[in-house]
Amino acid sequence: RKWKKISTLCSKLKIPTNPEANIDLLLFTLDWRGTPYCYGGNSKKCTDCSGYTSNAYKLVYEKDIPRVSRDIFFNAMPIRKYALYQGDLVFFATAGGTRITHVGIYLWDGYFAHASSSQGVTVSNLRQGYYMKTFISGGAWIE
């Protein structure tokens, strides 16, 4: 029964099925998918990347994380790309250089959920050229 629910949610999100999936993370991602992007926003009316990520952490993991991607980055334990696990954070320098300007939540198989400035809340893949080029680090939130 759980497998069927996970399979359905993964199909709706267009990601590979993972028997170890956190159903709450999938439901949250599906619920927020399509939420329009707005800088400084953190609601389902409109959100930015850290607004989406901090809401997910609060509702899925019951953890309060900072509201700004750089602050999240500086307070997270660094994780290499190959060691990422679902629920880990992924950080990007989308303005060039190494300054963190974007954050998302890792799902699996390279997929991550985030609020994209062009698409709103969506699922992308670290193997896509843009994200491959701008990826800085993964991170784990340890309290």
Side-chain angles (χ1 to χ4, degrees):
R1 188 157 169 76
K2 182 183 174 196
W3 170 253
K4 184 156 179 45
K5 185 171 189 170
I6 288 172
S7 183
T8 301
L9 292 169
C10 289
S11 175
K12 287 180 180 176
L13 289 167
K14 298 180 173 66
I15 58 176
T17 301
N18 175 359
E20 304 296 311
N22 179 325
I23 289 179
D24 292 334
L25 180 58
L26 293 177
L27 287 168
F28 183 88
T29 303
L30 197 58
D31 188 40
W32 279 63
R33 188 175 61 174
T35 297
Y37 180 90
C38 67
Y39 183 77
N42 73 339
S43 73
K44 282 185 66 184
K45 198 182 298 178
C46 76
T47 190
D48 63 15
C49 63
S50 55
Y52 168 76
T53 303
S54 60
N55 270 295
Y57 260 70
K58 187 180 225 39
L59 294 167
V60 176
Y61 300 109
E62 297 175 353
K63 291 183 179 184
D64 287 312
I65 64 172
R67 181 57 188 84
V68 177
S69 56
R70 268 183 314 285
D71 294 341
I72 300 169
F73 174 74
F74 286 120
N75 288 285
M77 183 182 82
I79 296 179
R80 294 185 190 274
K81 192 187 280 187
Y82 66 80
L84 287 166
Y85 184 75
Q86 72 173 315
D88 284 341
L89 300 153
V90 284
F91 299 100
F92 303 87
T94 55
T98 57
R99 184 170 170 260
I100 301 300
T101 52
H102 190 63
V103 63
I105 301 175
Y106 190 73
L107 298 172
W108 50 82
D109 289 350
Y111 291 93
F112 67 101
H114 64 122
S116 150
S117 57
S118 60
Q119 298 175 307
V121 175
T122 189
V123 173
S124 300
N125 196 295
L126 295 174
R127 291 183 206 84
Q128 289 169 254
Y130 177 74
Y131 297 110
M132 197 183 271
K133 196 168 59 195
T134 58
F135 179 84
I136 296 293
S137 179
W141 194 257
I142 310 293
E143 284 186 320

